[in-house]
Amino acid sequence: MFESLTDKLSSALRHLRGVGQLSEANMAEALQEVRTALLAADVHFKVAREFVERVQAQCVGQAVLKGVAPGQQVVKIIHDELVRLLGEGATGLSAARPLRILLVGLHGSGKTTSTAKLGKLLKKRGYTTPFVVGCDVYRPAAIDQLEILAQQEALGFYADRVSKDVPAIGAAGLAAAQAANADAILFDTAGRLQIDQGLIEEVKRLSARISPDEILLVADGALGQEAVNVAKAFHEALALTGLILTKLDGDARGGAALSIKSITGVPIKFVGTGEKTGDFDTFHPDRLASRILGMGDVVSLVEKAQEHMDEKEAERMAEKMRKADFNLEDFLAQMRQMKKLGSIQSIMGMMPGMSGMQIPDGAEAQMGRTEAIILSMTPQERRKPDLLNGSRRKRIADGSGTKIVEVNQLMKQFQQMQQMMKMMKGGGSGMKKMMRQMEAMKGKGGFPGL
Ligand SMILES: Nc1nc2c(ncn2[C@@H]2O[C@H](COP(=O)(O)OP(=O)(O)OP(=O)(O)O)[C@@H](O)[C@H]2O)c(=O)[nH]1
Ligand SMILES: [Mg+2]
């Protein structure tokens, strides 16, 4: 899905990724290419223009992250803008029980298939008895199609093969579903070749009878901007609560998915990606953005750097150090955060007075053993290392595949570190004592685990 867009975006960003310095010239060129790629994917021209403007504005104002090239940060900015475009925020369904969902849309957009697909998905998500109601009275085969799918997915089913009174059929279906204790009731409706007043009026009358919690428009994603126009018209008439974008598996270029939320304000809630009932999923803007960009590696690298920069967390740690109540749990958390970035040198840089220290060979493996030791402790032991008596240390050594002397060593070094923090807290003369202490620690390999 969206391969062509992915190719074009990748090539637009490829040469930016490695650059050490962003200039107005190389940015402008890359962003122009991004805009062209979006337009070629049939993204609405206004949406494409605003997209590029937003990216540009953020590139100018970005804080420089350590360990990440500026071009990589641009990739991340574009990723986040894609997520925003695809529709951030809540895309879940109403919590009402039974949950009443009305599916509407043009002819052949995938309503009947999506009704069954959604029933199946809801079952997977914990609904026990989804129920489908056939309200398409115009095509005789429509009811059979829904019935077969309902049987196949073991969903409750109601239809009336005689009546043509759609609102009455809906009401009867609702009653049947309630009698069957359904916790989700899905109403499949008839499509039209194009939006016409008759269709809208009928759906409105049906809607009035069944009071749906969700009105979902099923839109063919392969239609590009046409799907956006359809969504706009349906939304004006019916106040949609969400969209199901189908046929994203085919030759969909991405334009509908990328423009529909920002043009209509209606969130995409589900996507259809194939003909089988399992080819259907909750819509995840972030996942799709990553796929479109095809640069998940860069995005996660920048995210990690940002996580690392997480100021609140850093502040919390600094506060703990100041108060000298830095325990083994904090230590473990710190160590893991660093490990994500893959650098021991950076953890050293964060610890008081450790930045200049040499890292001995085998430090990485040692760090792994240190982690194993801490993991073998109970949470209580991590918070209160004083609890660690002989028998507990033996248990921890066994559990972590290390020796008691290693556990003892770690504890000793950790205590030294705590002492050091206490001295820092004392300030003045404490600092001098700390310097002496540090000299002593350096000789022994210093920092716990290294
Ligand atoms: N590849 C693909 N095909 C789909 C998808 N969703 C639906 N289809 C196919 O599209 C065709 C129309 O689907 P229906 O569910 O019958 O569409 P509908 O909106 O109920 O059509 P009408 O009732 O005639 O208005 C069927 O052949 C489906 O198998 C999808 O996500 N991907
Ligand atoms: Mg149908």
Side-chain angles (χ1 to χ4, degrees):
M1 132 171 78
F2 309 162
E3 285 86 2
S4 158
L5 175 59
T6 296
D7 287 349
K8 289 203 178 75
L9 280 180
S10 300
S11 94
L13 293 172
R14 195 168 297 125
H15 66 271
L16 264 194
R17 274 174 75 172
V19 305
Q21 199 73 46
L22 292 179
S23 69
E24 218 160 277
N26 60 22
M27 278 297 299
E29 192 185 336
L31 288 181
Q32 181 55 40
E33 273 182 69
V34 168
R35 204 170 92 99
T36 311
L38 292 174
L39 291 175
D42 197 23
V43 172
H44 194 280
F45 75 96
K46 260 202 227 150
V47 174
R49 193 180 59 208
E50 280 170 22
F51 182 89
V52 167
E53 281 168 4
R54 289 181 60 95
V55 170
Q56 203 158 22
Q58 286 175 67
C59 288
V60 172
Q62 74 180 327
V64 177
L65 290 175
K66 248 176 135 171
V68 177
Q72 292 175 318
Q73 267 177 275
V74 176
V75 172
K76 163 76 170 144
I77 288 171
I78 290 190
H79 171 270
D80 291 352
E81 278 301 313
L82 279 176
V83 174
R84 205 186 59 84
L85 208 55
L86 289 165
E88 268 176 325
T91 52
L93 293 173
S94 153
R97 291 293 182 280
L99 172 61
R100 303 168 194 191
I101 304 177
L102 177 60
L103 290 94
V104 300
L106 292 189
H107 180 65
S109 56
K111 291 178 298 301
T112 305
T113 317
S114 297
T115 302
K117 284 174 167 179
L118 182 53
K120 179 189 173 99
L121 185 73
L122 290 178
K123 252 184 154 175
K124 271 207 298 202
R125 299 284 150 83
Y127 289 77
T128 53
T129 44
F131 196 104
V132 300
V133 179
C135 299
D136 180 354
V137 295
Y138 301 97
R139 244 174 6 98
I143 290 174
D144 299 335
Q145 182 194 359
L146 186 64
E147 185 170 26
I148 291 166
L149 289 168
Q151 266 170 10
Q152 182 191 315
E153 301 305 331
L155 306 169
F157 172 77
Y158 176 88
D160 183 334
R161 286 182 164 83
V162 180
S163 169
K164 298 285 175 207
D165 183 346
V166 171
I169 294 171
L174 177 61
Q178 283 168 330
N181 280 323
D183 50 4
I185 312 168
L186 291 76
F187 300 85
D188 176 34
T189 59
R192 293 285 197 285
L193 282 173
Q194 61 206 25
I195 300 174
D196 63 65
Q197 217 41 45
L199 168 76
I200 297 285
E201 287 308 318
E202 183 185 277
V203 174
K204 273 186 172 167
R205 279 187 288 122
L206 170 62
S207 181
R209 289 291 289 274
I210 61 172
S211 314
D213 306 295
E214 297 277 351
I215 304 181
L216 303 180
L217 173 73
V218 180
D220 184 336
L223 292 183
Q225 285 317 298
E226 192 42 39
V228 179
N229 294 336
V230 168
K232 228 171 127 185
F234 267 96
H235 187 45
E236 277 156 19
L238 290 168
L240 303 171
T241 61
L243 303 164
I244 296 177
L245 214 52
T246 61
K247 309 188 192 181
L248 291 190
D249 50 309
D251 47 11
R253 286 181 290 167
L258 283 164
S259 321
I260 211 161
K261 167 75 197 305
S262 84
I263 298 278
T264 64
V266 183
I268 304 172
K269 295 195 172 177
F270 300 95
V271 287
T273 53
E275 301 209 9
K276 292 202 274 302
T277 44
D279 300 330
F280 190 79
D281 209 349
T282 309
F283 181 60
H284 297 287
D286 49 341
R287 287 189 209 163
L288 184 54
S290 292
R291 272 180 64 180
I292 289 176
L293 211 48
M295 292 182 182
D297 53 335
V298 176
V299 172
S300 54
L301 173 75
V302 178
E303 265 164 13
K304 274 172 195 161
Q306 284 172 338
E307 229 171 77
H308 176 49
M309 293 249 301
D310 188 336
E311 279 176 35
K312 270 209 183 109
E313 176 67 9
E315 237 168 63
R316 196 181 69 86
M317 284 292 173
E319 184 60 25
K320 275 181 162 289
M321 286 188 189
R322 258 198 304 282
K323 290 190 184 149
D325 72 346
F326 189 86
N327 61 30
L328 282 164
E329 218 156 52
D330 303 318
F331 179 48
L332 183 66
Q334 195 79 325
M335 199 161 76
R336 288 199 162 149
Q337 217 179 357
M338 296 305 160
K339 241 171 75 174
K340 278 194 259 173
L341 280 172
S343 145
I344 288 189
Q345 196 72 56
S346 54
I347 189 170
M348 307 278 289
M350 293 264 301
M351 304 311 285
M354 298 287 178
S355 49
M357 244 158 69
Q358 276 303 307
I359 297 167
D361 290 342
E364 292 285 349
Q366 180 68 52
M367 203 156 145
R369 279 205 294 282
T370 300
E371 186 175 359
I373 292 173
I374 300 177
L375 282 175
S376 294
M377 297 175 186
T378 65
Q380 209 191 8
E381 287 166 346
R382 284 179 220 153
R383 283 192 288 267
K384 283 198 180 325
D386 291 345
L387 288 173
L388 294 173
N389 57 20
S391 67
R392 285 181 187 239
R393 290 183 189 209
K394 167 97 173 66
R395 192 205 76 231
I396 290 163
D398 289 346
S400 57
T402 57
K403 299 200 181 73
I404 291 192
V405 307
E406 286 180 85
V407 179
N408 288 341
Q409 204 182 358
L410 171 66
M411 292 320 299
K412 189 156 173 242
Q413 288 171 338
F414 181 74
Q415 277 158 8
Q416 282 177 338
M417 195 173 89
Q418 270 188 325
Q419 263 178 359
M420 203 165 74
M421 288 177 187
K422 287 205 182 91
M423 282 186 265
M424 277 175 69
K425 194 174 124 193
S429 65
M431 285 300 270
K432 282 199 198 96
K433 245 161 80 189
M434 185 184 79
M435 296 311 284
R436 280 202 298 278
Q437 185 95 12
M438 266 171 48
E439 287 307 313
M441 278 177 75
K442 274 190 194 176
K444 289 186 219 137
F447 189 64
L450 295 177

